[in-house]
């Protein structure tokens, strides 16, 4: 029996991806999206492999959900054009672009066109372009005013102004260079692994709740019938109490705590 929102790709291993997976399961968000659907443009493909979505202005209604514009909740985190509002996704970084010349274009320059991953752009009426680079393992969001918004070429510049945001900018620049060299670090710490396993557990609970299942029935599907039978009402931290606590946490994440994931 498959889950209602089966993730068609690998489960996300980044907080921004999980934030979207919780938000798109929120019935109130889905209703808000349907109300705005007729006003939404569809993204178009770019020759360099990315895609671009054009909007006149940032949506005030979408900002309520921490988004710059509404995104289709039927799309999983890799396919959905999700652009988080800067006040909730504090890792979004401003960048600048240089015009391509023989002097500034080298093997060490960083261009979106050289990066192999999912690349999605949001272009607003004032010429600002929001760019999301993502895979199962990472989610980066950068924004600036490229000279040619519909192209992905042109060296990227990350300005470092004194000590303000120095560490974050250097980390971003270093990671962009790793992406350019197709050598991003994908190893997770034990703590991150445990956190993502828990988040996946909460999503599974949310996917089964609409079917009217009991906690025990959900447990049998998630962890297996044998473990459920052996550990359901055991002494100490039983599987039953874990399922009840997990369901409570899952609903909180769906209803608003997903925002907290974006700040990690």
């Amino acid at each position: 029996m498959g889950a209602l929102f089966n993730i068609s790709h690998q489960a996300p291993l980044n907080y921004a991806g999980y934030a979207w997976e919780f938000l798109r399961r929120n019935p109130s968000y889905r209703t808000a999206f349907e109300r705005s659907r007729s006003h939404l443009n569809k993204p178009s493909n770019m020759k360099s492999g990315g895609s671009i979505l054009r909007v006149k202005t940032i949506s005030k209604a979408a900002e309520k959900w921490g988004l710059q514009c509404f995104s289709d909740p039927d799309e999983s985190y890799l396919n959905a054009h999700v652009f988080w509002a800067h006040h909730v996704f504090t890792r979004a970084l401003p960048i600048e672009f240089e015009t391509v010349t023989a002097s500034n274009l080298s093997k060490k320059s960083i261009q979106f066109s050289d990066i192999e991953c999912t690349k999605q752009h949001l272009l607003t009426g004032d010429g600002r372009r929001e760019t999301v680079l993502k895979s199962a393992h990472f989610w980066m969001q950068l924004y600036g005013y490229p000279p040619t918004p519909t192209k992905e070429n042109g060296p990227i510049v990350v300005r470092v102004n004194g000590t303000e945001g120095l560490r974050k900018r250097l980390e971003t620049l270093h990671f962009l260079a790793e992406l350019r060299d197709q050598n991003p670090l994908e190893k997770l710490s034990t703590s991150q692994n445990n956190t993502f396993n828990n988040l996946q557990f909460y999503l599974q609970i949310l996917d089964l709740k609409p079917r009217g299942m009991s906690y025990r029935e959900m447990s049998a599907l998630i962890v297996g019938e044998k473990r459920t039978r052996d550990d359901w009402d055991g002494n100490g931290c039983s599987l039953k109490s874990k399922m009840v606590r997990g369901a409570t946490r899952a609903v909180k994440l769906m209803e608003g705590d997903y925002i907290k994931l974006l700040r990690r």
Side-chain angles (χ1 to χ4, degrees), residues 1 201 204-205 208 213-232 239-240 243:
M1 183 180 296
F201 171 64
Q204 289 174 308
I205 292 177
L208 294 174
M213 293 182 174
S214 67
Y215 288 126
R216 181 159 188 156
E217 289 172 329
M218 287 192 287
S219 176
L221 283 175
I222 295 172
V223 305
E225 183 62 49
K226 183 179 185 304
R227 184 183 168 192
T228 299
R229 184 174 60 250
D230 294 344
D231 299 342
W232 186 248
L239 191 53
K240 179 180 180 180
M243 288 296 301

Side-chain angles (χ1 to χ4, degrees), residues 119-131:
K119 293 172 284 188
Q120 297 170 334
H121 308 277
L122 176 69
L123 182 60
T124 55
D126 61 356
R128 191 184 77 179
R129 191 177 73 186
E130 203 86 21
T131 295

Side-chain angles (χ1 to χ4, degrees), residues 20-255:
W20 170 245
E21 288 299 329
F22 283 106
L23 174 57
R24 78 186 186 101
R25 287 163 167 78
N26 186 316
S28 296
Y29 173 76
R30 297 179 72 84
T31 299
F33 169 78
E34 289 300 329
R35 288 173 179 166
S36 69
R37 183 191 286 270
S38 61
H39 304 292
L40 300 177
N41 295 328
K42 293 185 178 180
S44 56
N45 294 327
M46 304 169 74
K47 291 182 179 179
S48 51
S51 58
I52 189 165
L53 177 64
R54 300 169 185 269
V55 297
K56 289 183 179 180
T57 59
I58 300 303
S59 168
K60 295 296 183 182
E63 281 188 320
K64 170 188 174 182
W65 304 96
L67 300 171
Q68 297 190 40
C69 61
F70 280 103
S71 185
D72 190 344
D74 286 337
E75 297 285 357
S76 64
Y77 71 101
L78 277 180
N79 294 330
H81 284 69
V82 176
F83 302 92
W84 297 110
H86 297 168
H87 70 279
V88 298
F89 192 47
T90 56
R91 286 189 170 272
L93 282 182
I95 56 175
E96 297 177 14
F97 298 85
E98 292 185 345
T99 304
V100 178
T101 65
S103 61
N104 67 19
L105 192 59
S106 69
K107 290 183 178 180
K108 292 186 177 181
S109 64
I110 300 174
Q111 303 184 87
F112 289 141
S113 55
D114 295 333
I115 296 174
E116 294 295 329
C117 68
T118 298
K119 293 172 284 188
Q120 297 170 334
H121 308 277
L122 176 69
L123 182 60
T124 55
D126 61 356
R128 191 184 77 179
R129 191 177 73 186
E130 203 86 21
T131 295
V132 168
L133 308 176
K134 60 185 174 180
S135 75
H137 292 85
F138 63 84
W139 184 305
M140 299 182 67
Q141 189 166 320
L142 310 104
Y143 60 96
Y145 294 83
T148 310
T150 56
K151 293 185 178 180
E152 293 183 320
N153 63 334
I156 299 168
V157 178
V158 180
R159 298 292 182 190
V160 179
N161 301 319
T163 59
E164 183 182 356
L166 177 61
R167 180 177 177 182
K168 184 184 292 186
R169 283 171 168 75
L170 290 177
E171 286 179 351
T172 300
L173 189 59
H174 178 67
F175 193 76
L176 282 170
E178 288 185 327
L179 289 179
R180 175 203 60 198
D181 299 336
Q182 300 182 11
N183 189 35
L185 180 64
E186 297 183 347
K187 187 176 181 180
L188 297 175
S189 66
T190 301
S191 175
Q192 286 175 317
N193 231 352
N194 291 338
T195 298
F196 292 143
N197 285 339
N198 286 335
L199 291 174
Q200 185 63 17
F201 171 64
Y202 302 145
L203 286 179
Q204 289 174 308
I205 292 177
L206 287 178
D207 290 346
L208 294 174
K209 278 178 70 68
R211 302 184 179 193
M213 293 182 174
S214 67
Y215 288 126
R216 181 159 188 156
E217 289 172 329
M218 287 192 287
S219 176
L221 283 175
I222 295 172
V223 305
E225 183 62 49
K226 183 179 185 304
R227 184 183 168 192
T228 299
R229 184 174 60 250
D230 294 344
D231 299 342
W232 186 248
D233 268 323
N235 295 327
C237 186
S238 68
L239 191 53
K240 179 180 180 180
S241 62
K242 180 180 179 180
M243 288 296 301
V244 173
R245 292 195 307 271
T248 300
R249 180 63 181 140
V251 171
K252 286 184 177 179
L253 282 163
M254 179 184 69
E255 291 182 343

